[in-house]
Amino acid sequence: MTLDALVSDWHQTEAERDQFLSGSFPVHFDWSISSESFKVEGGWTEHGKGETIWDRFSHEGHVFENQTTDLACDSYHKVDYDVYLLRGMMAPNYQFSISWARIFSTGHKESLIEKGVAYYDKMIDTLLQSGIDPTVTLHHWDLPQALQDSGGWENDSIVEAFKEFSDFCFSHYGDRVKTWITFGSPWVVSNLGYGTGEHPPRVKDPIIASYKVTHNIIKSHAEAWHIYNDNYRKLHGGKVGIALNSDWAEPRNPSSDQDVAAAERYLNFMLGWFAHPIFVDGDYSTVLKEQIEKKKGSCGKELARLPDFTEAEKQRIQGTADFFGLNHHTSRLISESLNSCDAGPNNVGDFQTHIDPTWPPTASDQIQSVPWGLRRLLNYISLEYTSFTKVPIYITGNGMPTEYSGDVFNDTERVDYLKAYINEAMKAVLLDEIDVQRFTVQSLMDGFEGPQGYSQRFGLHYVDFEDPERPRTPKASAYYYSKVTERNGFAETATNAKIAQSGWSACQGLHCFLSNGLLRVAERQHYWLWTSLCEL
C-alpha cells in the first residue's frame, strides 16, 4: 500500500515538518497564473455564444444573492487589460480555459462562431507578444447547455463531441499553444454536478450518474490526447495533460492501520478515480473496485455502479498524459467509518473526514491552510502515478479565498498561504527530488466562484463588481507572487532565467503599458497601487 509506505517514512516533529526552506527552484522552473472562462469572461450571449450550464444555473437563482455569469469580470472585452496585469506581474505563463459554447454554440462544429474563435486568437497573440506563454484548458466545467439537454456527460455521444471540439482547438490554436489541459478538476463535475447536485446540471445520482460521467470524461480525455498525438505533436511539439483536483488525506491516527487504509481509500475515490486509468493501467484501481463490491455485498444493495472499460479502451486510455496536473487547496484528516449503507463516496469508501481546529481557516469552510499536505500529496503522486509514466507534475491550481468585504487589498492571509504552499512544493523538488516543474496560482483576479458567486475572492487582483467597468486592483498577494517568480523562489536575487532574459520587472511592465497608451482611463486610476508596491 503506497500510503502506508509513505506514512512510515514521515517521522517528523511539527517543527521539522513546518521548517521554512530558503533557496530557489531549478533554473527552468515555470510559474503560472490561472483563470477559467465562465468565472471571468462575461459576454454570455455576445456574438452568438451559446448558453452554458453555468449560465442556466445562475439564471435559475441557485447562486449567492442571485448573482450571474452574465458580465463577470468582462474579460471578453478586456484582453489588453488582463494581459497588462500579467505582464506587470512578470508572469511567464497564463493558464486559461476556452468556453466550448463560445466557439461551438451548440457544442458541435456546425455551430461555429467566428468571433468567439477570434477572441481566443487575440488572447493568445497578445500573450505571446508580451512574452507570456499560454496554457489552454479545453474544458473547465462550463458545458454547452445544448449538450446537457441531450444528457451531458451521461450520454456516450459526448465523447465524439469532445473529440470534435478538441480537434478544432488543436488545429486552430496549436501553432501557438504548446501546453494543453483537457479537463480542469473533473472530479468536481462528477461528484458535485452529478452526485450531490450542488453544481449544475444539479443531478443527484451518486450511485450511477457520477460514475458514468467520470467514465465518459476519461474516455474523452484519452481521445483528445490521441488526436493531438497522432495529428499535431510532430507539427507543433506541444504537450497534453489533465488537471486533477485532490485534497491530501492524512490518517487521523497515523499509528492506526485502519485509518491509514481509510486515507488510501479516500485518495482512490478522489484522485485515483481519474488518475489510475490514465497514469497506471487504463483501468480503475483495485482498491476502488474491491471497495465498491465489498459494500454491495455487506449492504445487500448497489451503492455505486462502476462501469467497465473494454480491453481496447484500457489500451486506449493508459498513458494518455504528458504531465500530471494537480489542483490542490487543502487537506483532510481521515478515519475509518464503517457500517453505513447510504450512497456517496464517504459511505461507500468507509471513511470519515475531519478538520484540525488549529488549521488556519479561509473564507470557505471547505479550505483550510495545511501547506505540508501538498508536499505529502506530491510524494504520493510520484510513487503511485508518475513513477509509471515518468511524466512531470505541474501544479495547475493553488490558492485560497478571502472575504468580499473588509480590507480587500492587504490580503496577508493569502500571502502567508502562498508562501507556505510554494515552499512545500520547493521542499518536494529539492529535498524529495520529485519532478515538479510548474506552480500555478489561482487566480489572476476575483471572479464568479460557482454557487458562492462573487462572495469568495480568489484573485491576486481585486475586481469591483459594483462598477460596470470592472476595474482590477492588485492586492498585496499580486506583488508578493511577482517577487517570488522574479527570484524563482526564496533567494535574495532573481534566478529565473526566463524572466532574466526577458529584461522585465513588474514595474517596468506597467510603465511600458502606460507609455504605449494601452490602458483606458478607468484602468489607469488603479496604477497608483502598483507604483506604490514597486517602491516598497
Side-chain angles (χ1 to χ4, degrees):
M1 188 179 294
T2 303
L3 185 58
D4 190 32
L6 286 174
V7 169
S8 65
D9 285 341
W10 287 324
H11 299 295
Q12 297 171 299
T13 65
E14 287 191 11
E16 290 171 335
R17 181 195 68 193
D18 299 335
Q19 185 175 6
F20 189 81
L21 178 66
S22 297
S24 301
F25 284 84
V27 68
H28 294 299
F29 190 81
D30 204 7
W31 300 94
S32 185
I33 300 171
S34 72
S35 72
E36 292 81 37
S37 53
F38 75 97
K39 296 184 179 183
V40 300
E41 285 181 4
W44 82 280
T45 58
E46 195 126 2
H47 300 130
K49 174 189 165 289
E51 183 185 22
T52 73
I53 58 173
W54 280 99
D55 295 326
R56 177 73 62 88
F57 183 81
S58 66
H59 291 154
E60 289 179 344
H62 303 300
V63 177
F64 175 78
E65 292 188 347
N66 292 317
Q67 294 167 344
T68 73
T69 57
D70 292 5
L71 183 58
C73 305
D74 199 25
S75 286
Y76 186 63
H77 298 105
K78 295 183 178 294
V79 170
D80 288 334
Y81 195 173
D82 290 349
V83 176
Y84 127 74
L85 300 177
L86 291 160
R87 191 163 186 168
M89 289 185 64
M90 290 188 305
N93 189 286
Y94 182 46
Q95 176 184 303
F96 64 95
S97 70
I98 289 176
S99 175
W100 191 341
R102 195 176 296 285
I103 291 181
F104 297 166
S105 64
T106 68
H108 297 288
K109 63 182 178 181
E110 61 266 20
S111 61
L112 177 70
I113 305 167
E114 293 290 353
K115 289 191 176 180
V117 175
Y119 165 69
Y120 297 109
D121 273 323
K122 182 178 180 183
M123 174 67 76
I124 292 165
D125 290 343
T126 306
L127 288 168
L128 292 172
Q129 290 163 9
S130 301
I132 301 166
D133 291 330
T135 291
V136 172
T137 300
L138 291 170
H139 186 67
H140 193 100
W141 305 0
D142 53 344
L143 188 71
Q145 183 63 43
L147 290 178
Q148 184 58 47
D149 293 341
S150 299
W153 290 107
E154 292 181 83
N155 189 329
D156 292 346
S157 68
I158 202 167
V159 177
E160 190 63 34
F162 188 73
K163 283 175 61 178
E164 187 178 73
F165 170 62
S166 302
D167 196 7
F168 176 84
C169 292
F170 293 150
S171 65
H172 188 82
Y173 303 116
D175 59 329
R176 291 155 291 162
V177 176
K178 304 304 179 185
T179 308
W180 295 91
I181 296 169
T182 54
F183 291 89
S185 297
W187 179 90
V188 175
V189 176
S190 302
N191 191 56
L192 301 186
Y194 290 83
T196 67
E198 297 168 66
H199 282 195
R202 301 184 66 227
V203 174
K204 299 179 182 179
D205 183 5
I207 297 176
I208 298 173
S210 60
Y211 292 93
K212 177 69 169 176
V213 165
T214 293
H215 207 66
N216 280 333
I217 287 176
I218 291 171
K219 289 196 289 185
S220 298
H221 158 80
E223 290 305 316
W225 185 89
H226 282 289
I227 286 171
Y228 191 87
N229 192 59
D230 295 345
N231 302 321
Y232 302 103
R233 188 181 300 277
K234 288 183 179 179
L235 185 63
H236 300 314
K239 294 182 176 182
V240 178
I242 189 167
L244 304 178
N245 63 295
S246 184
D247 305 332
W248 168 243
E250 180 75 5
R252 192 178 192 185
N253 178 3
S255 300
S256 164
D257 291 341
Q258 291 77 20
D259 285 2
V260 171
E264 180 87 17
R265 292 194 296 274
Y266 179 97
L267 290 167
N268 272 270
F269 272 83
M270 192 177 201
L271 184 63
W273 194 10
F274 293 86
H276 196 277
I278 295 169
F279 292 92
V280 182
D281 61 6
D283 198 5
Y284 300 113
S285 72
T286 301
V287 172
L288 189 65
K289 291 194 286 188
E290 289 184 347
Q291 181 64 23
I292 288 173
E293 285 302 308
K294 174 185 173 184
K295 291 298 290 189
K296 182 179 180 180
S298 63
C299 293
K301 62 179 180 179
E302 185 178 49
L303 297 182
R305 185 181 300 172
L306 190 65
D308 293 320
F309 291 117
T310 66
E311 289 304 317
E313 286 172 341
K314 292 176 188 177
Q315 293 179 20
R316 190 80 173 158
I317 293 165
Q318 182 182 12
T320 53
D322 303 315
F323 58 87
F324 189 117
L326 173 66
N327 295 338
H328 172 77
H329 301 87
T330 195
S331 294
R332 290 288 179 266
L333 298 175
I334 306 297
S335 64
E336 182 182 67
S337 179
L338 305 174
N339 303 322
S340 173
C341 285
D342 295 326
N346 290 28
N347 298 322
V348 179
D350 284 333
F351 55 78
Q352 186 173 356
T353 63
H354 311 270
I355 295 169
D356 188 324
T358 66
W359 292 346
T362 72
S364 168
D365 60 7
Q366 299 299 308
I367 299 177
Q368 293 75 37
S369 181
V370 195
W372 50 266
L374 173 59
R375 180 182 178 188
R376 295 188 176 186
L377 183 57
L378 291 170
N379 273 269
Y380 178 84
I381 290 170
S382 178
L383 276 173
E384 185 77 4
Y385 303 117
T386 59
S387 61
F388 288 87
T389 53
K390 306 300 181 185
V391 298
I393 300 170
Y394 292 176
I395 297 171
T396 44
N398 174 257
M400 60 156 282
T402 53
E403 300 289 348
Y404 64 98
S405 57
D407 188 351
V408 296
F409 301 118
N410 189 29
D411 57 341
T412 54
E413 303 99 328
R414 180 175 289 108
V415 170
D416 292 341
Y417 177 99
L418 291 176
K419 180 179 182 180
Y421 273 84
I422 293 170
N423 198 249
E424 291 298 321
M426 191 167 76
K427 290 178 188 177
V429 173
L430 299 185
L431 303 182
D432 306 330
E433 299 183 343
I434 306 299
D435 188 16
V436 181
Q437 296 185 2
R438 177 181 295 187
F439 196 101
T440 307
V441 169
Q442 176 191 346
S443 57
L444 176 61
M445 68 193 95
D446 297 333
F448 181 90
E449 295 298 335
Q452 293 75 34
Y454 304 100
S455 67
Q456 294 183 5
R457 304 300 185 93
F458 276 85
L460 297 170
H461 294 82
Y462 170 78
V463 178
D464 184 354
F465 292 103
E466 300 300 317
D467 187 331
E469 290 292 316
R470 296 297 196 263
R472 295 92 152 101
T473 307
K475 304 175 187 178
S477 58
Y479 177 70
Y480 177 76
Y481 187 56
S482 72
K483 295 305 291 184
V484 170
T485 60
E486 182 181 17
R487 294 170 177 168
N488 200 32
F490 305 98
E492 291 302 314
T493 57
T495 58
N496 191 307
K498 189 172 184 179
I499 292 174
Q501 290 170 2
S502 72
W504 279 83
S505 73
C507 303
Q508 285 174 327
L510 293 174
H511 282 303
C512 176
F513 268 78
L514 286 167
S515 63
N516 286 319
L518 294 179
L519 303 183
R520 293 189 288 250
V521 173
E523 296 151 6
R524 287 170 179 252
Q525 65 185 354
H526 298 282
Y527 168 65
W528 66 269
L529 181 56
W530 262 115
T531 303
S532 63
L533 287 172
C534 289
E535 292 172 351
L536 290 178

